[in-house]
Amino acid sequence: MGDNFQTPSPAPAQAPEPQQEPTPQNATLLQAFEWYIPPDHAHFLRLSSQIPQLSQHGISSLWIPPSCKATSPQSNGYDIYDLYDLGEFDQKGSVATKWGTKAQLLELAQKGKEYGVGLYWDAVLNHRFGADHRERCKAVEVEADNRMVRKSGEYGIDAWVGYDFPGRGDQHSKMKYHWYHFSGVDFNADDPGKAGTIYQIIGEQSQGWARSPEDVDGEKGNYDYLMGCDLDYSHPEVDEDVLNWGRWLAKEVPIKGIRFDAVKHFSESFLRKFVKMLDGEFGEGWFLVGEFWKDSLQSMTDYLDRMGQKFSLFDAPLVYNFGEISTSVSADLRRVFDDTLVQKAPVCAVTLVRNHDTQPLQALAVPITPWFLPLGYSLILLREAGYPCVFYGDLYGLCTPTPDNPSPTTPTSGPVTIIPKLLLARKLYAYGPQTDYFDYRTCVGWVRHGTWDRKDKCAVVMSNAGEGWKRMLVGVECAGQRWTDVLGWRQEVLTVGEDGWAEFRCGGCSVSVWVWEGAKGREEFETQFDFDIYAVSTNK
């Protein structure tokens, strides 16, 4: 009988394990201004000095204030005069904008580039202010609450709508603006007593308001008109000039993204064309976010659908939820994300706690009690969904005017001093899958479980009532580990059980972020953040 033994075939070569991509550091945005910063033209210099420590704490981009020339050296820039003057020409009382000169702006961009911190431009494209001369045109008065209803016949008005830009001349752009480039104004020099009346400009070259709701928001019948001289994007010269400005800006200043002001008030079709131009001529990868400030989730998601999801919006409903919870007794924390953009469309949501429009004394002010601010920032910085935006006024303090100090040059209300530690916690430990423990009205928690190369985890627990605690699973691989609160608000040390569970605690109306004692980067929490930005020397 023959031997049945057969020589085995060589084992097939094992396919190499797929190479895992490194987990990128979390992106975090800083809105790098507040409404009442002193008008000393030194803001860009101060920001440049802060870039190293901001980068160290995980800030990856700055949303800088509107940096085009406005109507005065003290203006924040939303009353825009000239898109093509970035603090370069002697116009409207100075060469510099409130924030500084063009040269200082470029220095800030270069400093950011050195530390990996990008700049987002604040583009005010809806209107113009500070015209150089008046021009006569025909107009009709419209109702303030319904701009589709005329309350007068056509008649001639004397409007400030002529823009010659004498300080700049034809540099960068030869375009001059006239009455037929605008769709509406709110002042008639023939009848100054009716200031604030909305006049819709009428003429063969004026198409009237943009279509609503297809092209602008339908609030007030048609929300094309917001303020100043309202640009008419149906006019080809306006369309061409602003597109050319976008091309010029992209070449002139190394920005990484754009925040578009007042997007519900100007042509969506033009904005889509603007975005397409940027992508086509300068490559994709821009971060584009719009200010569509409305407490209507449906309106926001409809807008995103029309923009083709290539766009983000600030999560206004989340801010209103924060305000309501912070001013209510024992509100239901489990519902903090109800009807918010970050819940409905997390990829398109820029989350925030406050901004320059909602800070105290502003028309859109949202009262948020101070004790809640650490909770709010934990909810945007340490969770998986959304792109968080930290407010300058909360990081460095607000220079809010007071009766005794109407023009403060240093903060009149202090910073939220826990924010730097929350930023570090985001940079170091807020990675990977998230398990929520939203099972009690006034105390919620969650665990971030880390990734293959960012293995250190964090457990967050917060209460809007008395002392809170939450039993949460961090994993059996953590059994026996000693965990402490990196915020320093809880002093005890807890040990994770053999089953991977532990009871995590926080103080009353407070938050704690628990991390293993041996986690990488714990030493960074010993760094002292320099909040005193106004002490920085700006002599240059």
Side-chain angles (χ1 to χ4, degrees):
M1 294 178 62
D3 192 342
N4 289 328
F5 177 79
Q6 293 182 346
T7 303
S9 301
Q14 289 189 345
E17 292 187 7
Q19 186 173 4
Q20 298 190 68
E21 293 292 327
T23 305
Q25 180 177 301
N26 284 325
T28 308
L29 174 61
L30 173 68
Q31 178 184 353
F33 64 101
E34 57 109 349
W35 198 259
Y36 298 107
I37 284 173
D40 56 6
H41 318 297
H43 189 60
F44 289 148
L45 294 176
R46 284 190 289 265
L47 287 179
S48 292
S49 74
Q50 295 295 299
I51 289 287
Q53 77 163 348
L54 291 173
S55 174
Q56 180 186 1
H57 282 76
I59 295 295
S60 54
S61 295
L62 304 183
W63 156 22
I64 61 173
S67 302
C68 301
K69 187 62 59 71
T71 59
S72 79
Q74 294 78 39
S75 168
N76 283 329
Y78 292 104
D79 54 341
I80 184 169
Y81 166 68
D82 185 0
L83 280 173
Y84 289 92
D85 184 356
L86 310 183
E88 182 180 6
F89 304 100
D90 190 355
Q91 299 188 112
K92 298 300 176 184
S94 71
V95 172
T97 66
K98 172 180 177 176
W99 316 109
T101 65
K102 181 180 179 181
Q104 292 165 352
L105 167 64
L106 295 176
E107 289 175 11
L108 171 62
Q110 179 58 37
K111 189 78 167 183
K113 185 177 180 180
E114 292 173 11
Y115 284 86
V117 178
L119 299 188
Y120 295 167
W121 195 263
D122 197 330
V124 184
L125 305 182
N126 176 71
H127 51 262
R128 298 292 171 85
F129 276 87
D132 298 304
H133 65 266
R134 302 194 302 269
E135 294 180 353
R136 297 205 67 82
C137 57
K138 287 186 177 181
V140 296
E141 300 175 21
V142 299
E143 295 284 354
D145 293 329
N146 187 345
R147 281 78 183 279
M148 301 303 291
V149 176
R150 297 182 176 188
K151 63 178 187 178
S152 78
E154 294 182 17
Y155 66 95
I157 65 171
D158 194 15
W160 285 95
V161 287
Y163 290 79
D164 299 325
F165 312 114
R168 175 171 59 81
D170 290 340
Q171 293 190 62
H172 308 318
S173 171
K174 295 182 179 180
M175 174 73 170
K176 314 301 177 189
Y177 282 79
H178 302 284
W179 68 268
Y180 46 82
H181 294 124
F182 303 101
S183 60
V185 294
D186 63 356
F187 185 80
N188 174 16
D190 288 341
D191 194 357
K194 295 175 74 173
T197 297
I198 300 174
Y199 301 91
Q200 183 180 1
I201 293 175
I202 303 297
E204 291 181 1
Q205 298 184 74
S206 177
Q207 303 300 312
W209 304 137
R211 290 175 295 112
S212 173
E214 300 90 346
D215 219 27
V216 295
D217 192 61
E219 191 177 343
K220 298 184 185 296
N222 180 302
Y223 222 169
D224 188 356
Y225 186 83
L226 177 63
M227 61 177 71
C229 301
D230 188 70
L231 284 165
D232 183 358
Y233 281 97
S234 69
H235 197 294
E237 293 177 356
V238 176
D239 183 296
E240 180 182 10
D241 187 55
V242 178
L243 286 174
N244 285 338
W245 172 79
R247 295 183 179 97
W248 173 80
L249 179 70
K251 297 173 183 175
E252 202 76 7
V253 184
I255 57 174
K256 299 294 185 182
I258 301 178
R259 179 261 189 189
F260 294 94
D261 184 57
V263 294
K264 67 180 182 179
H265 301 285
F266 72 93
S267 170
E268 292 176 21
S269 56
F270 170 78
L271 189 50
R272 284 191 292 271
K273 185 187 298 186
F274 192 98
V275 171
K276 185 177 180 180
M277 178 274 294
L278 287 177
D279 286 345
E281 298 183 21
F282 299 96
E284 297 188 358
W286 295 83
F287 179 76
L288 305 172
V289 59
E291 183 233 356
F292 190 102
W293 202 260
K294 193 172 184 177
D295 192 14
S296 168
L297 180 60
Q298 189 63 55
S299 295
M300 298 176 78
T301 55
D302 287 348
Y303 182 89
L304 289 169
D305 288 341
R306 294 193 299 272
M307 291 299 293
Q309 300 291 326
K310 283 194 169 185
F311 214 69
S312 296
L313 295 177
F314 293 98
D315 198 344
L318 180 63
V319 174
Y320 290 116
N321 283 3
F322 285 164
E324 183 178 353
I325 288 175
S326 80
T327 55
S328 303
V329 177
S330 300
D332 194 342
L333 279 175
R334 298 170 299 181
R335 304 189 63 183
V336 67
F337 295 110
D338 284 4
D339 300 318
T340 60
L341 189 62
V342 71
Q343 180 188 68
K344 180 75 173 180
V347 174
C348 299
V350 176
T351 53
L352 68 164
V353 179
R354 297 201 288 191
N355 69 9
H356 65 295
D357 284 326
T358 69
Q359 71 180 87
L361 302 187
Q362 292 304 292
L364 297 175
V366 177
I368 297 180
T369 51
W371 68 264
F372 185 81
L373 292 172
L375 279 67
Y377 276 105
S378 298
L379 287 162
I380 69 169
L381 288 171
L382 302 181
R383 293 182 60 78
E384 191 173 11
Y387 180 16
C389 180
V390 175
F391 180 42
Y392 174 99
D394 289 333
L395 183 59
Y396 290 108
L398 294 166
C399 296
T400 308
T402 65
D404 295 333
N405 189 4
S407 300
T409 57
T410 55
T412 54
S413 60
V416 182
T417 55
I418 205 64
I419 288 179
K421 289 186 176 181
L422 290 171
L423 286 169
L424 287 174
R426 174 175 175 78
K427 184 185 85 164
L428 294 167
Y429 310 126
Y431 295 92
Q434 174 178 293
T435 303
D436 285 336
Y437 295 82
F438 278 44
D439 51 5
Y440 191 77
R441 180 184 181 90
T442 59
C443 182
V444 300
W446 64 92
V447 174
R448 298 297 301 276
H449 292 279
T451 64
W452 74 273
D453 58 340
R454 294 183 183 268
K455 293 182 169 60
D456 292 317
K457 310 179 182 190
C458 69
V460 183
V461 61
M462 64 175 58
S463 169
N464 64 333
E467 182 174 342
W469 60 91
K470 191 70 61 180
R471 182 169 166 78
M472 298 189 289
L473 175 67
V474 292
V476 293
E477 67 275 16
C478 301
Q481 289 182 353
R482 292 160 51 90
W483 285 44
T484 59
D485 176 15
V486 293
L487 303 185
W489 284 350
R490 301 290 299 193
Q491 300 303 311
E492 66 264 44
V493 178
L494 62 83
T495 302
V496 178
E498 292 301 314
D499 57 359
W501 290 78
E503 186 177 274
F504 300 94
R505 291 181 171 268
C506 68
C509 293
S510 185
V511 59
S512 288
V513 181
W514 296 85
V515 175
W516 175 42
E517 278 187 335
K520 292 180 180 179
R522 288 287 303 240
E523 70 281 357
E524 294 189 38
F525 289 85
E526 303 302 318
T527 303
Q528 297 298 311
F529 190 89
D530 180 8
F531 295 100
D532 195 3
I533 190 172
Y534 297 100
V536 174
S537 173
T538 55
N539 296 324
K540 200 168 185 181

